[in-house]
Amino acid sequence: MKKLIAIVLTLFAVALFYYSQKTPQSSHELVVYSYSSFASPWGAGPEIVKDFEAENNVKVSLVDAGDARTILQRIELEKHKSKADVVVGLDHLILNEALKITNWKNIKAPGINYSKDFPEKKIAFDKFVPFDWAPMTFIYREGEIPPPRTLEELGAINYQKSLVIYDPRMSTPGFLFADWIVRALGADKAKSYFSSIKDNILTITPSWSTGYGLFQKKQARLAFSYVTSAVYHWVHDKDLKYRAAEFRDPVPYHIEFAGVLSDCHNCSGAEEFVKFLLRPEIQRKIMMMNFMYPVLDGIKADTAFAKLPKLKVIELMIGPDKEVVFNAWNSLIQ
Amino acid sequence: MTQLGGLFFITILSLPYLILIWHIPQAHLPSWSEAQPVLLKTLWQAFLSATGSLFFGAWGALGLLKISGKRREIFKFIFMLPNFLPSIFVVLSVLNFFQPFPYGVAGIVIVHVLINVGLVAFILSDSFENQLGGVVELAMIEGASRFQILLQGVLPMLKRDLFLCFITVFSLCFSSFAIPLILGGPSASTFEILIYQKIKIMAQWSEALSLSALQSLVLIGLTLFIRQNRPIIDYKWRDFSALGSKTGFLIPLFISALLLTGPLLGLPAGVRQIQNLPVLWDMFSDQILGSLVVGIGSGLLCLGMLIFLALFYPSLRIRKILVSYVAPSTALVGFSLLLMPEIENVFFKIILGFGLIIFPLIYRLRWYSVLDALAPQVEMGALLGAGPFLIFSKILYPQCFKIACRLAGLCAFWATGDFAISSIVADRDISVALVIQGLIGSYRIESASVLIWPMLLCGGLCYLFFIGLGYVGSQKSVS
């Protein structure tokens, strides 16, 4: 027993020493802060980084810095000491906050040939470059429940205890749902609407992953998610029952952006990396591994993504009034 | 010396508060009208959850008395499993079992009780073994019934330990985050959610910090009710068969089996799914090693802190401050660690963060009672002119090293399943728990249910390591 304990303690010391060996950051190294599902080994990030390193002869450190909000908070806390050159995964809801928190470099991105359905193509983004997006809707399993077509139908009796949504205070998809209702109905009507669908909500979870997990495990019959979520199940689970509800009302959407920090260490590499995300082959990778629509035109054709319903989206969602949304939401939780 | 040691210890524990206060320029208090309803709701659910957990947990502890030797250790470990599982799997298991599930306060309380019964049984069985002395045997000989022994012997002697257990579970349920939100129905809200909202959405750090301090105040209020009677500590083998309860044993066993059905049900589909993720296997050995490093490291830190406290044996006042201290919310600790660029190694950061969060809980759970029980011997030693090191080596170490190791094992077990601190601090998936979190977040919940098992194995190995360390250490002290 004593020998075993000595061996374990020695191994522990060796492992800790091994992990503490860090190579210092060189001026050629590029540090990319990104969100978890992009940076995860099965996400699009590692493959994109590998391609970029091979082409540009530069070492890229892909840092999993949590979700979009955590990334921003991390940058705010690190201030000028931040090692990040590029941030990948800011969404359109927090761009204004990102601009307030720190300075971002202007990016001279080439004229992007946006996909026809990309909602914000009229805006010239000079500091943040969109690299993927998806409309939001309810996902259901065919044969289990008739899909809702309007917000009004979502309040119908046959959806009792069927919906899983997410707390807008903690989750971006959750905020998009609440913001959708406020935009579609106005702040006052939104309050009564939230009260009216209360009985149809099975549960409100802190994150999309928990809520969608409950839906996958058939605890809920309708989950608010990306229209592109259905493709994951078609491709990986070979399950064609998963469908995206075709709302007649315009639906909200989620766009993800990349930006270069003004305090970047390898600024030229950072700008190159952001532009790299807009290459057609990289856009294809993002689409297939991130399960989001590409922003470039012509990438989706002949893929499962082309078979998804074409949903009308709300116009201009950048810079929502959070106070109004949270006030309306409070009518549901009080 | 002892006062200085105690104060140094409190300063280390409150490091996250100090770092954040240093970095937050202005102090803002949250509005009372906003905090009050959430506070009342949270207090109510925490009170009900702690009461239920204590009742069934004490029953479970009586069940553990029916088993002896190594088998008891194994069952203690099995009873602890619900406390270790990611909340989504706990929820799935419960929702499969209770149809229809009573969402709302009742639902939150049910799940909190299911999660914490094993923990209470684990801790109270230790108290039964070491703090009842020969009372039970004597009462048996005198012909007292089990009910009489419990009511007139055990309850008065252990009411302090029972209350400390209650406070610990209360604080756990008070700061619970995911369970109240998922199972509380549409109107769920807790204090921890409010803190999270202040940090994440409003970026109001000072308000979040104030709310966290208010959490501490609630606990301080509760600790005022701790009675100052001196518990005894007794290591002789005793016959507790008159107290043991078969049904009590079955309750936590059933709960563990029930809550493990969630990850079990997803296993076949998960195995199929995981075969299509070769990248997972390429890095798996690294993550297993990472989990073990986090677990062993956190356990060693916890053991070091427990031993430090025993060595410097702080005054009663400092011991009481420590028992009422609540670590700031996980998010606050995580972000305060990000403000320490001097510590580059993420493992150090995770171990430190986890230690700072879990130690107050471990201390309250058992160590406070252990130190109090040894107070008369320490005072006697000091009176006879022994210095702190002599007192430690001759009085404290032989009697409490094994308990310290058991508590460190508990800490190590929890640490291997941590993703809350790790996800803020780590820059990649360094442990199995983080991979599980990542898989759940990318449609792969079935694969996650497969990885629960290696994570449990890592937790079990870390726990056993500290149990072994306690065994070897206490043998050394005897020889």
Side-chain angles (χ1 to χ4, degrees):
Chain A
M1 185 58 124
K2 280 181 199 170
K3 276 183 194 162
L4 187 68
I5 286 169
I7 291 168
V8 172
L9 286 177
T10 313
L11 279 179
F12 169 73
V14 170
L16 204 58
F17 178 75
Y18 165 74
Y19 282 125
S20 64
Q21 298 303 299
K22 242 188 153 178
T23 44
Q25 188 181 355
S26 73
S27 60
H28 294 299
E29 187 182 344
L30 186 68
V31 179
V32 180
Y33 277 12
S34 176
Y35 58 102
S36 302
S37 56
F38 184 86
S40 68
W42 49 87
E47 286 232 1
I48 294 171
V49 162
K50 207 163 79 184
D51 292 351
F52 185 77
E53 283 180 336
E55 197 179 302
N56 294 277
N57 196 25
V58 62
K59 167 95 183 78
V60 180
S61 287
L62 185 61
V63 176
D64 175 354
D67 58 28
R69 275 190 193 285
T70 313
I71 296 174
L72 266 195
Q73 278 166 331
R74 191 166 171 159
I75 288 167
E76 189 183 10
L77 290 172
E78 290 173 344
K79 289 183 182 143
H80 301 298
K81 289 178 194 160
S82 180
K83 289 177 182 168
D85 297 299
V86 184
V87 174
V88 172
L90 296 170
D91 59 56
H92 59 291
L93 301 174
I94 56 170
L95 287 190
N96 290 340
E97 280 163 67
L99 287 170
K100 276 184 214 157
I101 281 168
T102 190
N103 295 321
W104 301 82
K105 275 186 98 69
N106 279 345
I107 301 168
K108 294 176 209 92
I112 304 167
N113 183 18
Y114 283 119
S115 146
K116 285 176 195 70
D117 47 3
F118 181 65
E120 304 287 0
K121 52 185 173 286
K122 285 177 203 155
I123 299 176
F125 298 103
D126 53 352
K127 292 188 190 294
F128 304 104
V129 173
F131 64 90
D132 68 11
W133 79 286
M136 309 291 297
T137 183
F138 278 90
I139 302 290
Y140 67 100
R141 281 175 288 265
E142 215 170 25
E144 206 176 270
I145 197 167
R149 307 270 173 188
T150 61
L151 284 176
E152 210 172 300
E153 279 181 30
L154 209 56
I157 189 90
N158 53 334
Y159 294 121
Q160 210 166 22
K161 296 275 176 231
S162 296
L163 279 57
V164 59
I165 55 173
Y166 327 109
D167 194 311
R169 297 167 294 178
M170 268 154 267
S171 146
T172 302
F175 185 86
L176 286 169
F177 176 76
D179 186 49
W180 178 26
I181 307 301
V182 171
R183 279 171 195 267
L185 306 173
D188 289 335
K189 279 190 182 167
K191 285 180 187 174
S192 53
Y193 181 80
F194 281 133
S195 306
S196 71
I197 61 164
K198 212 169 183 170
D199 286 343
N200 289 358
I201 298 170
L202 175 80
T203 184
I204 299 166
T205 62
S207 63
W208 169 86
S209 56
T210 308
Y212 202 80
L214 290 175
F215 167 68
Q216 278 180 284
K217 289 289 195 173
K218 301 193 175 167
Q219 293 296 337
R221 294 185 293 170
L222 283 168
F224 188 66
S225 189
Y226 307 90
V227 69
T228 45
S229 297
V231 178
Y232 173 85
H233 303 287
W234 299 350
V235 173
H236 284 276
D237 299 341
K238 311 277 181 255
D239 189 342
L240 299 178
K241 276 187 183 164
Y242 282 84
R243 297 279 160 176
E246 289 181 55
F247 271 81
R248 286 197 285 267
D249 304 316
V251 296
Y253 54 84
H254 189 203
I255 310 179
E256 293 185 305
F257 293 84
V260 176
L261 288 158
S262 281
D263 293 327
C264 48
H265 307 275
N266 180 355
C267 298
S268 59
E271 199 166 314
E272 282 308 310
F273 187 84
V274 172
K275 288 178 193 167
F276 192 71
L277 294 176
L278 296 175
R279 295 253 191 102
E281 66 275 19
I282 300 301
Q283 283 279 293
R284 196 163 292 120
K285 273 190 181 163
I286 291 173
M287 176 179 78
M288 294 312 294
M289 297 178 88
N290 240 20
F291 292 96
M292 295 285 273
Y293 281 152
V295 291
L296 288 195
D297 199 23
I299 309 288
K300 279 185 302 197
D302 304 327
T303 68
F305 289 85
K307 292 174 190 153
L308 288 167
K310 309 275 178 290
L311 299 174
K312 207 171 12 161
V313 295
I314 292 169
E315 273 184 42
L316 197 70
M317 285 192 70
I318 288 175
D321 192 337
K322 286 181 190 162
E323 288 279 316
V324 176
V325 175
F326 288 136
N327 276 340
W329 177 258
N330 282 341
S331 65
L332 176 71
I333 63 169
Q334 271 164 10
Chain B
M1 182 91 160
T2 56
Q3 290 288 45
L4 272 179
L7 287 174
F8 170 74
F9 198 81
I10 291 174
T11 313
I12 294 288
L13 275 186
S14 44
L15 211 57
Y17 278 117
L18 298 174
I19 294 171
L20 287 167
I21 290 168
W22 181 261
H23 279 84
I24 295 167
Q26 292 155 335
H28 288 291
L29 291 174
S31 90
W32 180 239
S33 60
E34 185 187 16
Q36 188 226 19
V38 184
L39 178 67
L40 292 178
K41 256 188 197 180
T42 317
L43 282 172
W44 181 231
Q45 69 85 0
F47 171 78
L48 292 177
S49 305
T51 309
S53 305
L54 192 66
F55 177 77
F56 289 106
W59 201 350
L62 293 177
L64 275 171
L65 295 179
K66 270 276 175 205
I67 303 158
S68 55
K70 281 182 186 166
R71 280 195 309 157
R72 190 184 287 179
E73 289 304 325
I74 294 167
F75 279 109
K76 275 184 183 174
F77 179 74
I78 293 171
F79 288 4
M80 281 298 298
L81 291 179
N83 219 276
F84 183 70
L85 293 172
S87 49
I88 173 89
F89 289 105
V90 172
V91 168
L92 280 171
S93 309
V94 172
L95 292 181
N96 280 331
F97 187 76
F98 293 93
Q99 296 280 0
F101 186 78
Y103 285 90
V105 175
I108 299 170
V109 171
I110 288 172
V111 174
H112 277 161
V113 169
L114 293 178
I115 290 174
N116 290 308
V117 160
L119 174 70
V120 175
F122 179 101
I123 293 300
L124 284 183
S125 68
D126 259 15
S127 303
F128 283 147
E129 281 173 58
N130 299 331
Q131 282 179 221
L132 287 179
V135 172
V136 177
E137 285 161 328
L138 189 67
M140 270 166 64
I141 294 164
E142 296 287 338
S145 68
R146 187 164 72 175
F147 188 69
Q148 281 173 321
I149 299 175
L150 278 174
L151 210 64
Q152 289 165 27
V154 175
L155 205 59
M157 285 182 80
L158 291 186
K159 68 180 163 197
R160 193 178 122 111
D161 285 68
L162 290 167
F163 189 59
L164 282 168
C165 242
F166 173 85
I167 296 179
T168 308
V169 178
F170 180 90
S171 68
L172 277 173
C173 301
F174 192 84
S175 54
S176 174
F177 180 81
I179 298 293
L181 204 53
I182 302 171
L183 299 176
S187 50
S189 194
T190 72
F191 220 60
E192 196 69 16
I193 295 166
L194 194 59
I195 292 174
Y196 190 89
Q197 185 184 346
K198 293 288 173 196
I199 302 171
K200 285 272 203 175
I201 310 290
M202 316 292 183
Q204 291 162 342
W205 292 84
S206 59
E207 287 196 20
L209 210 58
S210 312
L211 289 170
S212 213
L214 186 59
Q215 270 185 318
S216 259
L217 276 179
V218 171
L219 261 273
I220 289 170
L222 274 178
T223 52
L224 293 176
F225 294 100
I226 296 175
R227 286 173 62 88
Q228 280 315 307
N229 64 325
R230 287 252 163 100
I232 55 164
I233 196 150
D234 170 49
Y235 287 105
K236 284 185 195 144
W237 184 87
R238 304 283 186 186
D239 180 11
F240 290 109
S241 56
L243 269 186
S245 154
K246 262 187 196 162
T247 46
F249 172 73
L250 291 175
I251 289 170
L253 192 65
F254 170 73
I255 291 172
S256 292
L258 168 73
L259 296 191
L260 283 172
T261 54
L264 259 178
L265 288 175
L267 215 50
V271 170
R272 279 196 302 276
Q273 209 176 63
I274 225 161
Q275 281 165 349
N276 299 322
L277 271 178
V279 68
L280 203 63
W281 299 113
D282 296 345
M283 55 179 202
F284 200 54
S285 57
D286 261 9
Q287 276 133 4
I288 290 275
L289 190 62
S291 293
L292 292 172
V293 169
V294 170
I296 300 274
S298 305
L300 286 176
L301 178 67
C302 180
L303 182 64
M305 289 161 101
L306 294 170
I307 296 292
F308 180 92
L309 267 189
L311 183 62
F312 287 95
Y313 204 83
S315 64
L316 181 65
R317 188 182 303 161
I318 288 182
R319 297 205 301 274
K320 281 190 81 175
I321 292 174
L322 281 173
V323 90
S324 59
Y325 173 79
V326 182
S329 94
T330 313
L332 284 173
V333 173
F335 282 116
S336 70
L337 287 168
L338 288 180
L339 289 166
M340 296 165 80
E342 296 78 19
I343 307 178
E344 284 226 338
N345 187 312
V346 288
F347 283 95
F348 277 129
K349 281 189 183 177
I350 293 169
I351 290 167
L352 179 64
F354 195 78
L356 292 177
I357 287 177
I358 217 73
F359 182 80
L361 198 132
I362 293 277
Y363 175 80
R364 198 178 303 125
L365 212 49
R366 191 84 182 94
W367 203 238
Y368 177 61
S369 274
V370 170
L371 291 187
D372 264 14
L374 295 169
Q377 296 177 44
V378 172
E379 282 161 14
M380 182 63 78
L383 208 65
L384 294 172
F389 287 98
L390 195 62
I391 292 175
F392 174 74
S393 62
K394 297 291 177 194
I395 299 174
L396 293 165
Y397 178 84
Q399 295 187 73
C400 63
F401 186 69
K402 212 170 175 178
I403 301 175
C405 283
R406 185 188 297 281
L407 293 173
L410 197 60
C411 173
F413 178 62
W414 277 329
T416 48
D418 167 73
F419 60 82
I421 283 281
S422 307
S423 61
I424 297 175
V425 175
D427 51 6
R428 60 191 190 283
D429 289 346
I430 54 152
S431 63
V432 183
L434 279 179
V435 178
I436 289 174
Q437 197 63 11
L439 287 168
I440 296 172
S442 53
Y443 303 101
R444 295 170 173 93
I445 189 166
E446 311 287 15
S447 308
S449 60
V450 177
L451 293 197
I452 288 284
W453 304 98
M455 186 173 82
L456 279 177
L457 184 71
C458 288
L461 287 175
C462 290
Y463 175 75
L464 287 178
F465 167 75
F466 282 98
I467 294 294
L469 189 67
Y471 174 75
V472 169
S474 57
Q475 289 294 306
K476 196 175 165 59
S477 72
V478 169
S479 64

